Short mmCIF file of all heavy atoms in Angstrom, two decimals:
data_model
loop_
_atom_site.label_atom_id
_atom_site.label_comp_id
_atom_site.label_asym_id
_atom_site.label_seq_id
_atom_site.Cartn_x
_atom_site.Cartn_y
_atom_site.Cartn_z
N VAL B 57 -1.88 -8.39 -6.41
CA VAL B 57 -1.68 -7.10 -5.75
C VAL B 57 -0.71 -7.22 -4.59
O VAL B 57 -0.03 -6.28 -4.24
CB VAL B 57 -3.03 -6.52 -5.29
CG1 VAL B 57 -2.86 -5.19 -4.59
CG2 VAL B 57 -3.96 -6.37 -6.47
N ARG B 58 -0.63 -8.38 -4.00
CA ARG B 58 0.23 -8.58 -2.83
C ARG B 58 1.67 -8.23 -3.16
O ARG B 58 2.41 -7.74 -2.31
CB ARG B 58 0.13 -10.04 -2.36
CG ARG B 58 0.81 -10.26 -1.03
CD ARG B 58 0.71 -11.68 -0.54
NE ARG B 58 -0.66 -12.11 -0.47
CZ ARG B 58 -1.06 -13.35 -0.73
NH1 ARG B 58 -0.19 -14.27 -1.09
NH2 ARG B 58 -2.32 -13.68 -0.64
N ASP B 59 2.06 -8.43 -4.40
CA ASP B 59 3.45 -8.13 -4.78
C ASP B 59 3.75 -6.64 -4.72
O ASP B 59 4.90 -6.24 -4.64
CB ASP B 59 3.72 -8.65 -6.19
CG ASP B 59 3.65 -10.17 -6.25
OD1 ASP B 59 3.79 -10.81 -5.19
OD2 ASP B 59 3.45 -10.71 -7.35
N THR B 60 2.73 -5.78 -4.79
CA THR B 60 2.96 -4.34 -4.79
C THR B 60 3.08 -3.77 -3.39
O THR B 60 3.19 -2.57 -3.23
CB THR B 60 1.83 -3.61 -5.54
OG1 THR B 60 0.61 -3.85 -4.85
CG2 THR B 60 1.73 -4.06 -6.97
N LYS B 61 3.03 -4.62 -2.38
CA LYS B 61 3.23 -4.20 -1.00
C LYS B 61 2.19 -3.15 -0.57
O LYS B 61 2.52 -1.99 -0.31
CB LYS B 61 4.64 -3.69 -0.78
CG LYS B 61 5.70 -4.65 -1.27
CD LYS B 61 6.81 -4.77 -0.30
CE LYS B 61 7.94 -5.63 -0.76
NZ LYS B 61 7.62 -6.94 -1.21
N THR B 62 0.94 -3.58 -0.52
CA THR B 62 -0.17 -2.71 -0.16
C THR B 62 0.06 -2.05 1.20
O THR B 62 -0.29 -0.90 1.40
CB THR B 62 -1.49 -3.51 -0.12
OG1 THR B 62 -1.63 -4.17 -1.36
CG2 THR B 62 -2.67 -2.62 0.13
N HIS B 63 0.67 -2.77 2.12
CA HIS B 63 0.90 -2.20 3.45
C HIS B 63 1.81 -0.98 3.40
O HIS B 63 1.75 -0.11 4.24
CB HIS B 63 1.45 -3.26 4.40
CG HIS B 63 2.82 -3.74 4.01
ND1 HIS B 63 3.02 -4.69 3.03
CD2 HIS B 63 4.04 -3.40 4.45
CE1 HIS B 63 4.31 -4.90 2.89
NE2 HIS B 63 4.95 -4.15 3.74
N ALA B 64 2.67 -0.89 2.40
CA ALA B 64 3.56 0.27 2.29
C ALA B 64 2.83 1.48 1.69
O ALA B 64 3.24 2.60 1.90
CB ALA B 64 4.77 -0.09 1.43
N VAL B 65 1.73 1.23 0.97
CA VAL B 65 0.99 2.31 0.34
C VAL B 65 -0.03 2.91 1.31
O VAL B 65 -0.26 4.11 1.32
CB VAL B 65 0.29 1.79 -0.94
CG1 VAL B 65 -0.53 2.88 -1.57
CG2 VAL B 65 1.33 1.27 -1.91
N ALA B 66 -0.64 2.10 2.13
CA ALA B 66 -1.62 2.53 3.14
C ALA B 66 -2.79 3.32 2.53
O ALA B 66 -2.97 4.49 2.82
CB ALA B 66 -0.94 3.32 4.24
N PRO B 67 -3.59 2.69 1.66
CA PRO B 67 -4.68 3.41 1.01
C PRO B 67 -5.74 3.92 1.97
O PRO B 67 -6.33 4.97 1.74
CB PRO B 67 -5.26 2.40 0.02
CG PRO B 67 -4.73 1.08 0.44
CD PRO B 67 -3.48 1.31 1.20
N ALA B 68 -5.98 3.22 3.06
CA ALA B 68 -6.97 3.69 4.04
C ALA B 68 -6.50 4.98 4.70
O ALA B 68 -7.30 5.87 4.99
CB ALA B 68 -7.24 2.61 5.08
N THR B 69 -5.21 5.10 4.92
CA THR B 69 -4.66 6.33 5.49
C THR B 69 -4.82 7.48 4.52
O THR B 69 -5.19 8.59 4.92
CB THR B 69 -3.17 6.14 5.84
OG1 THR B 69 -3.04 5.04 6.74
CG2 THR B 69 -2.58 7.38 6.47
N LEU B 70 -4.58 7.22 3.25
CA LEU B 70 -4.78 8.26 2.24
C LEU B 70 -6.23 8.73 2.22
O LEU B 70 -6.50 9.93 2.23
CB LEU B 70 -4.37 7.75 0.85
CG LEU B 70 -4.67 8.68 -0.31
CD1 LEU B 70 -3.92 10.00 -0.16
CD2 LEU B 70 -4.32 8.02 -1.62
N ARG B 71 -7.17 7.79 2.24
CA ARG B 71 -8.58 8.16 2.24
C ARG B 71 -8.93 8.99 3.48
O ARG B 71 -9.64 9.98 3.41
CB ARG B 71 -9.46 6.92 2.16
CG ARG B 71 -10.95 7.27 2.10
CD ARG B 71 -11.84 6.07 2.04
NE ARG B 71 -11.65 5.43 0.75
CZ ARG B 71 -11.89 4.15 0.51
NH1 ARG B 71 -12.31 3.37 1.47
NH2 ARG B 71 -11.70 3.63 -0.67
N ARG B 72 -8.40 8.60 4.63
CA ARG B 72 -8.69 9.31 5.87
C ARG B 72 -8.14 10.74 5.83
O ARG B 72 -8.81 11.70 6.23
CB ARG B 72 -8.12 8.54 7.06
CG ARG B 72 -8.50 9.10 8.41
CD ARG B 72 -8.04 8.25 9.58
NE ARG B 72 -6.59 8.06 9.60
CZ ARG B 72 -5.97 6.91 9.33
NH1 ARG B 72 -6.67 5.84 9.03
NH2 ARG B 72 -4.67 6.83 9.37
N ILE B 73 -6.92 10.91 5.31
CA ILE B 73 -6.31 12.23 5.24
C ILE B 73 -7.05 13.11 4.24
O ILE B 73 -7.29 14.30 4.49
CB ILE B 73 -4.81 12.10 4.89
CG1 ILE B 73 -4.06 11.53 6.11
CG2 ILE B 73 -4.22 13.44 4.48
CD1 ILE B 73 -2.61 11.20 5.84
N VAL B 74 -7.44 12.55 3.10
CA VAL B 74 -8.20 13.33 2.11
C VAL B 74 -9.54 13.75 2.68
O VAL B 74 -9.98 14.88 2.53
CB VAL B 74 -8.36 12.54 0.79
CG1 VAL B 74 -9.33 13.21 -0.15
CG2 VAL B 74 -7.01 12.35 0.11
N LYS B 75 -10.20 12.83 3.38
CA LYS B 75 -11.50 13.16 4.00
C LYS B 75 -11.34 14.29 5.01
O LYS B 75 -12.13 15.23 5.05
CB LYS B 75 -12.12 11.95 4.67
CG LYS B 75 -13.47 12.24 5.31
CD LYS B 75 -14.02 11.03 6.01
CE LYS B 75 -15.37 11.24 6.61
NZ LYS B 75 -15.78 12.57 6.97
N ARG B 76 -10.30 14.22 5.82
CA ARG B 76 -10.05 15.27 6.82
C ARG B 76 -9.82 16.62 6.13
O ARG B 76 -10.34 17.65 6.57
CB ARG B 76 -8.85 14.90 7.68
CG ARG B 76 -8.64 15.87 8.83
CD ARG B 76 -7.48 15.49 9.73
NE ARG B 76 -7.57 14.12 10.17
CZ ARG B 76 -6.55 13.26 10.15
NH1 ARG B 76 -5.37 13.62 9.70
NH2 ARG B 76 -6.70 12.03 10.58
N GLU B 77 -9.07 16.62 5.03
CA GLU B 77 -8.81 17.87 4.30
C GLU B 77 -10.13 18.46 3.79
O GLU B 77 -10.35 19.67 3.89
CB GLU B 77 -7.87 17.60 3.12
CG GLU B 77 -7.59 18.79 2.26
CD GLU B 77 -6.71 19.84 2.92
OE1 GLU B 77 -5.98 19.51 3.88
OE2 GLU B 77 -6.76 21.00 2.47
N TYR B 78 -10.99 17.63 3.25
CA TYR B 78 -12.27 18.13 2.74
C TYR B 78 -13.17 18.60 3.88
O TYR B 78 -13.88 19.60 3.75
CB TYR B 78 -12.98 17.07 1.90
CG TYR B 78 -12.56 17.13 0.45
CD1 TYR B 78 -11.35 16.60 0.04
CD2 TYR B 78 -13.35 17.74 -0.50
CE1 TYR B 78 -10.95 16.67 -1.27
CE2 TYR B 78 -12.97 17.82 -1.82
CZ TYR B 78 -11.76 17.28 -2.20
OH TYR B 78 -11.36 17.37 -3.50
N ASP B 79 -13.16 17.90 5.00
CA ASP B 79 -13.97 18.32 6.15
C ASP B 79 -13.51 19.66 6.71
O ASP B 79 -14.31 20.54 7.01
CB ASP B 79 -13.92 17.26 7.26
CG ASP B 79 -14.68 15.99 6.90
OD1 ASP B 79 -15.46 16.03 5.92
OD2 ASP B 79 -14.47 14.98 7.58
N VAL B 80 -12.20 19.84 6.83
CA VAL B 80 -11.65 21.06 7.42
C VAL B 80 -11.89 22.26 6.51
O VAL B 80 -12.19 23.36 6.99
CB VAL B 80 -10.13 20.88 7.69
CG1 VAL B 80 -9.45 22.19 8.00
CG2 VAL B 80 -9.94 19.90 8.84
N THR B 81 -11.80 22.08 5.20
CA THR B 81 -11.91 23.20 4.28
C THR B 81 -13.33 23.42 3.77
O THR B 81 -13.55 24.27 2.91
CB THR B 81 -10.97 23.01 3.08
OG1 THR B 81 -11.31 21.78 2.43
CG2 THR B 81 -9.52 23.00 3.52
N GLY B 82 -14.29 22.66 4.28
CA GLY B 82 -15.68 22.87 3.89
C GLY B 82 -16.07 22.19 2.59
O GLY B 82 -17.11 22.49 2.02
N GLY B 83 -15.29 21.26 2.11
CA GLY B 83 -15.63 20.53 0.90
C GLY B 83 -16.53 19.35 1.22
O GLY B 83 -16.86 19.08 2.38
N GLU B 84 -16.91 18.65 0.18
CA GLU B 84 -17.77 17.48 0.36
C GLU B 84 -17.03 16.24 -0.13
O GLU B 84 -16.64 16.15 -1.29
CB GLU B 84 -19.06 17.66 -0.44
CG GLU B 84 -20.03 16.53 -0.25
CD GLU B 84 -21.30 16.72 -1.06
OE1 GLU B 84 -21.48 17.80 -1.65
OE2 GLU B 84 -22.09 15.79 -1.10
N PHE B 85 -16.82 15.29 0.76
CA PHE B 85 -16.16 14.04 0.45
C PHE B 85 -17.17 12.93 0.66
O PHE B 85 -17.69 12.77 1.75
CB PHE B 85 -14.94 13.84 1.37
CG PHE B 85 -14.20 12.56 1.12
CD1 PHE B 85 -13.28 12.49 0.09
CD2 PHE B 85 -14.42 11.45 1.90
CE1 PHE B 85 -12.58 11.32 -0.15
CE2 PHE B 85 -13.74 10.28 1.67
CZ PHE B 85 -12.82 10.21 0.64
N THR B 86 -17.48 12.19 -0.40
CA THR B 86 -18.49 11.14 -0.33
C THR B 86 -17.87 9.83 -0.74
O THR B 86 -17.12 9.77 -1.72
CB THR B 86 -19.67 11.46 -1.28
OG1 THR B 86 -20.16 12.76 -0.98
CG2 THR B 86 -20.79 10.45 -1.13
N VAL B 87 -18.20 8.78 -0.01
CA VAL B 87 -17.76 7.43 -0.37
C VAL B 87 -18.99 6.69 -0.87
O VAL B 87 -19.93 6.44 -0.12
CB VAL B 87 -17.13 6.70 0.84
CG1 VAL B 87 -16.73 5.29 0.44
CG2 VAL B 87 -15.94 7.47 1.37
N ALA B 88 -19.00 6.38 -2.15
CA ALA B 88 -20.11 5.65 -2.74
C ALA B 88 -19.95 4.17 -2.42
O ALA B 88 -18.83 3.66 -2.39
CB ALA B 88 -20.13 5.85 -4.25
N PRO B 89 -21.04 3.47 -2.17
CA PRO B 89 -20.93 2.05 -1.84
C PRO B 89 -20.35 1.25 -3.00
O PRO B 89 -20.56 1.59 -4.17
CB PRO B 89 -22.37 1.63 -1.54
CG PRO B 89 -23.23 2.72 -2.03
CD PRO B 89 -22.41 3.95 -2.17
N LYS B 90 -19.64 0.20 -2.69
CA LYS B 90 -19.02 -0.66 -3.70
C LYS B 90 -20.09 -1.31 -4.58
O LYS B 90 -19.83 -1.65 -5.73
CB LYS B 90 -18.17 -1.73 -3.02
CG LYS B 90 -17.42 -2.63 -3.95
CD LYS B 90 -16.31 -1.93 -4.67
CE LYS B 90 -15.51 -2.91 -5.49
NZ LYS B 90 -14.69 -2.29 -6.47
N ALA B 91 -21.30 -1.44 -4.07
CA ALA B 91 -22.38 -2.09 -4.81
C ALA B 91 -22.73 -1.34 -6.09
O ALA B 91 -23.42 -1.86 -6.96
CB ALA B 91 -23.62 -2.22 -3.93
N THR B 92 -22.27 -0.10 -6.23
CA THR B 92 -22.59 0.66 -7.44
C THR B 92 -21.88 0.09 -8.66
O THR B 92 -22.34 0.30 -9.77
CB THR B 92 -22.18 2.14 -7.30
OG1 THR B 92 -20.78 2.19 -7.05
CG2 THR B 92 -22.94 2.82 -6.21
N ALA B 93 -20.79 -0.62 -8.48
CA ALA B 93 -20.00 -1.18 -9.58
C ALA B 93 -19.77 -0.11 -10.63
O ALA B 93 -20.09 -0.27 -11.81
CB ALA B 93 -20.69 -2.41 -10.17
N ALA B 94 -19.24 1.02 -10.21
CA ALA B 94 -19.12 2.20 -11.05
C ALA B 94 -18.36 1.94 -12.34
O ALA B 94 -18.73 2.46 -13.39
CB ALA B 94 -18.47 3.33 -10.28
N THR B 95 -17.32 1.14 -12.31
CA THR B 95 -16.54 0.93 -13.52
C THR B 95 -17.20 -0.06 -14.46
O THR B 95 -16.89 -0.09 -15.64
CB THR B 95 -15.12 0.43 -13.19
OG1 THR B 95 -15.22 -0.75 -12.41
CG2 THR B 95 -14.33 1.48 -12.44
N ALA B 96 -18.12 -0.87 -13.94
CA ALA B 96 -18.77 -1.89 -14.78
C ALA B 96 -20.15 -1.46 -15.26
O ALA B 96 -20.75 -2.15 -16.07
CB ALA B 96 -18.89 -3.19 -14.00
N THR B 97 -20.67 -0.34 -14.78
CA THR B 97 -22.03 0.08 -15.12
C THR B 97 -21.99 1.17 -16.18
O THR B 97 -21.20 2.10 -16.11
CB THR B 97 -22.76 0.61 -13.86
OG1 THR B 97 -22.71 -0.40 -12.87
CG2 THR B 97 -24.20 0.94 -14.17
N CYS B 98 -22.89 1.05 -17.15
CA CYS B 98 -23.00 2.06 -18.20
C CYS B 98 -23.76 3.26 -17.64
O CYS B 98 -24.87 3.10 -17.13
CB CYS B 98 -23.74 1.49 -19.40
SG CYS B 98 -24.03 2.71 -20.68
N PRO B 99 -23.22 4.47 -17.73
CA PRO B 99 -23.94 5.63 -17.20
C PRO B 99 -25.16 6.02 -18.03
O PRO B 99 -26.03 6.74 -17.57
CB PRO B 99 -22.89 6.75 -17.23
CG PRO B 99 -21.84 6.29 -18.15
CD PRO B 99 -21.89 4.80 -18.21
N GLY B 100 -25.25 5.50 -19.26
CA GLY B 100 -26.39 5.83 -20.11
C GLY B 100 -27.62 5.00 -19.82
O GLY B 100 -28.74 5.52 -19.73
N CYS B 101 -27.45 3.67 -19.68
CA CYS B 101 -28.61 2.79 -19.49
C CYS B 101 -28.56 2.02 -18.17
O CYS B 101 -29.47 1.27 -17.86
CB CYS B 101 -28.71 1.81 -20.65
SG CYS B 101 -27.31 0.67 -20.80
N HIS B 102 -27.49 2.16 -17.41
CA HIS B 102 -27.31 1.54 -16.08
C HIS B 102 -27.23 0.01 -16.15
O HIS B 102 -27.49 -0.66 -15.17
CB HIS B 102 -28.41 1.97 -15.11
CG HIS B 102 -28.50 3.45 -14.99
ND1 HIS B 102 -27.49 4.21 -14.44
CD2 HIS B 102 -29.46 4.33 -15.39
CE1 HIS B 102 -27.83 5.49 -14.49
NE2 HIS B 102 -29.01 5.58 -15.07
N ARG B 103 -26.87 -0.52 -17.30
CA ARG B 103 -26.63 -1.96 -17.41
C ARG B 103 -25.17 -2.24 -17.14
O ARG B 103 -24.30 -1.43 -17.45
CB ARG B 103 -26.98 -2.47 -18.80
CG ARG B 103 -28.45 -2.50 -19.08
CD ARG B 103 -28.70 -3.19 -20.39
NE ARG B 103 -30.14 -3.23 -20.66
CZ ARG B 103 -30.66 -3.79 -21.71
NH1 ARG B 103 -29.88 -4.36 -22.61
NH2 ARG B 103 -31.96 -3.79 -21.89
N LYS B 104 -24.91 -3.41 -16.56
CA LYS B 104 -23.52 -3.77 -16.31
C LYS B 104 -22.88 -4.28 -17.59
O LYS B 104 -23.45 -5.09 -18.30
CB LYS B 104 -23.43 -4.84 -15.22
CG LYS B 104 -23.70 -4.28 -13.85
CD LYS B 104 -23.29 -5.23 -12.78
CE LYS B 104 -23.56 -4.58 -11.43
NZ LYS B 104 -23.17 -5.43 -10.34
N VAL B 105 -21.72 -3.75 -17.88
CA VAL B 105 -20.95 -4.13 -19.06
C VAL B 105 -19.68 -4.79 -18.54
O VAL B 105 -18.86 -4.14 -17.90
CB VAL B 105 -20.61 -2.89 -19.92
CG1 VAL B 105 -19.80 -3.30 -21.13
CG2 VAL B 105 -21.87 -2.16 -20.32
#
Side-chain angles (χ1 to χ4, degrees):
V57 179
R58 189 179 305 145
D59 294 339
T60 62
K61 309 224 184 307
T62 306
H63 65 279
V65 177
T69 303
L70 174 61
R71 182 180 291 156
R72 187 175 58 251
I73 289 173
V74 170
K75 181 182 182 335
R76 186 178 308 134
E77 177 71 21
Y78 272 78
D79 289 345
V80 167
T81 58
E84 183 180 353
F85 180 81
T86 306
V87 178
K90 183 70 174 164
T92 59
T95 56
T97 305
C98 175
C101 63
H102 305 294
R103 288 188 180 182
K104 286 194 178 181
V105 179

